[in-house]
Amino acid sequence: MEMWTKPGPTTGPQETLFYPTSDTSQTTTELRDFFAKARNGSVRLIKVIIEDEQLVLGAHKELSRRWDADYDAFVLPLLDEQQPCYVLYRLDSQNAQGYEWLFISWSPDSSPVRLKMLYAATRATVKKEFGGGHIKDEMFGTVKEDVSLSGYQKHVSSCSAPAPLTAAEQELQQIRINEVKTEISVESKHQTLQGLAFPLQSDAQQAIQALKQKKINYIQLKLDLERETIDLVHTSPTEIADLPKRIPQDSARYHFFLYKHSHEGDYLESVVFIYSMPGYKCSIKERMLYSSCKSRLLDTVEQEFCLEIAKKIEIDDGAELTAEFLYEEVHPKQHAFKQAFAKPKGPVGKRGQKRLIKGPGENGEDS
């Protein structure tokens, strides 16, 4: 776990926050025993939370009516606007292992980043402890509409129909693809971290569209660590010689550059993504968040904005960005052909006649 100090008022104390770099959450014996009891079908709902780095039972509900009649009345009141949690909801259908369950990961937008990261990293552990064979469906929600009964019905319909996915469903699909595979219990510890998805502000989205249409040739983005957003810094016209001056020496940035050049006689315009991180001049929190948000930002730009990125580069000093460096990154040199090994020639001079040694009996002789 890493620590950073958030400056407080000039006359007050400083606030120390902790951000996890690995999940050490353990499942209590009480929760394991309750999981075993619930799998026999007598429990309708289980809420799991993390307290003192342990997975504990937050709440539960007994069977009352049909699963769909109980759903909204049981699930929605247990969802806190500030606190992530996991909810296991028993359906009325069964498979070979028993009753089937719906697994809900609740992570509201207003909850602290530290909690979002901790719950994302521990998600696979909860599924493993409960038993993945009992889980029929999974849902991820940031607002209650996402995980309401109507939201679940839309989720089931979209999974079975070949219709295009909505933005929310695309995000859920991407979360499943990028899900960190963790198996953390009392006896094991694995380093894990789920990528974060800070939203792009509207001016940043407009800038990406303009870059795609080649109306601009440079974008610089930054993270607003307090509001948890990705903001536009500027889109000043930039040539290759200007790039080193665009890289801050004391803070991280994301850059998109339209690299105009010629290659093997062809004129090309290639979009290059540059992630600049000036080493330990940045705080631990800043380094961690920029690293965690990078892959989700690139997924958004490439999939939702359909902007093709020719090369992704990570640097710690703007002086690296020369014309030669960019060209070699976008068009790496091919390995030269290696000539096959040639048998060396023998010594110069007369060597005499070759001798042929035959095996016994080849000339009719006795061995």
Side-chain angles (χ1 to χ4, degrees):
M1 181 172 292
E2 293 183 341
M3 177 182 72
W4 68 284
T5 302
K6 178 180 178 183
T10 54
T11 58
Q14 292 183 325
E15 178 185 3
T16 300
L17 302 179
F18 294 88
Y19 279 74
T21 56
S22 63
D23 176 29
T24 57
S25 302
Q26 301 178 356
T27 306
T28 61
T29 302
E30 176 191 7
L31 181 59
R32 283 202 189 97
D33 293 343
F34 193 83
F35 278 169
K37 170 189 172 184
R39 284 193 291 266
N40 66 20
S42 61
V43 175
R44 175 66 76 188
L45 176 147
I46 309 169
K47 178 181 178 181
V48 180
I49 60 175
I50 299 176
E51 287 185 353
D52 298 326
E53 299 187 1
Q54 288 189 316
L55 292 166
V56 301
L57 179 65
H60 72 278
K61 297 284 187 181
E62 301 293 333
L63 293 174
S64 176
R65 298 170 292 173
R66 285 172 44 88
W67 76 270
D68 51 350
D70 283 339
Y71 190 96
D72 282 342
F74 280 10
V75 174
L76 300 185
L78 294 179
L79 303 180
D80 193 321
E81 296 293 343
Q82 301 291 330
Q83 176 74 34
C85 68
Y86 310 106
V87 174
L88 288 153
Y89 188 84
R90 204 214 81 178
L91 306 174
D92 291 338
S93 57
Q94 298 187 47
N95 61 21
Q97 299 190 32
Y99 283 100
E100 295 179 314
W101 293 70
L102 170 63
F103 181 71
I104 301 173
S105 296
W106 170 247
S107 184
D109 290 331
S110 55
S111 62
V113 174
R114 181 185 64 83
L115 289 180
K116 292 180 182 179
M117 295 168 64
L118 180 59
Y119 274 81
T122 316
R123 181 182 179 195
T125 302
V126 179
K127 292 167 56 180
K128 180 192 173 195
E129 293 286 355
F130 184 74
H134 295 274
I135 296 174
K136 179 180 180 180
D137 282 315
E138 296 180 47
M139 285 201 302
F140 175 85
T142 59
V143 294
K144 291 186 177 181
E145 288 76 11
D146 293 341
V147 295
S148 65
L149 178 60
S150 62
Y152 176 56
Q153 291 170 339
K154 291 177 183 177
H155 165 74
V156 173
S157 176
S158 66
C159 289
S160 59
L165 298 178
T166 65
E169 290 158 355
Q170 287 177 351
E171 181 178 1
L172 175 58
Q173 184 183 61
Q174 193 61 41
I175 288 172
R176 285 176 173 170
I177 294 172
N178 294 336
E179 180 183 4
V180 177
K181 302 300 181 182
T182 58
E183 295 184 358
I184 301 173
S185 63
V186 177
E187 301 173 351
S188 64
K189 297 180 181 180
H190 291 230
Q191 186 169 357
T192 169
L193 185 63
Q194 173 76 36
L196 295 177
F198 285 3
L200 275 166
Q201 295 296 82
S202 58
D203 54 352
Q205 297 183 32
Q206 294 170 7
I208 292 172
Q209 289 285 9
L211 179 66
K212 179 182 177 181
Q213 299 166 6
K214 300 181 180 179
K215 295 180 180 179
I216 59 176
N217 74 335
Y218 175 79
I219 300 173
Q220 184 176 133
L221 304 175
K222 70 174 182 179
L223 297 184
D224 186 320
L225 306 185
E226 297 299 326
R227 296 189 300 131
E228 300 180 5
T229 58
I230 301 179
D231 297 349
L232 176 67
V233 179
H234 68 83
T235 58
S236 301
T238 301
E239 301 300 327
I240 295 178
D242 301 325
L243 277 177
K245 297 181 291 184
R246 299 282 188 250
I247 309 301
Q249 297 181 359
D250 57 355
S251 59
R253 289 289 188 271
Y254 301 129
H255 315 259
F256 293 89
F257 177 60
L258 186 61
Y259 177 38
K260 301 177 182 180
H261 63 288
S262 296
H263 176 63
E264 297 181 349
D266 296 327
Y267 174 74
L268 302 175
E269 294 184 346
S270 307
V271 176
V272 177
F273 172 78
I274 303 168
Y275 167 41
S276 63
M277 170 58 68
Y280 290 92
K281 295 179 182 177
C282 299
S283 66
I284 293 175
K285 178 189 178 185
E286 184 175 356
R287 295 201 307 271
M288 180 184 65
L289 291 181
Y290 269 88
S291 177
S292 299
C293 291
K294 175 168 63 73
S295 62
R296 297 298 298 275
L297 169 63
L298 291 172
D299 288 343
T300 299
V301 170
E302 291 179 312
Q303 297 175 13
E304 297 185 15
F305 291 88
C306 300
L307 179 62
E308 182 179 355
I309 299 176
K311 185 66 180 179
K312 299 161 187 174
I313 302 172
E314 182 172 343
I315 63 169
D316 54 20
D317 191 338
E320 300 177 47
L321 296 176
T322 63
E324 181 180 3
F325 173 80
L326 278 180
Y327 185 85
E328 291 180 353
E329 286 290 319
V330 177
H331 304 287
K333 294 180 180 179
Q334 300 297 322
H335 294 292
F337 173 75
K338 294 184 178 180
Q339 186 175 2
F341 174 76
K343 182 178 179 180
K345 295 181 180 180
V348 180
K350 188 175 180 180
R351 301 183 60 191
Q353 296 181 349
K354 295 182 179 179
R355 290 177 296 173
L356 179 63
I357 300 176
K358 295 184 178 181
E362 292 185 6
N363 289 330
E365 300 175 356
D366 295 331
S367 57

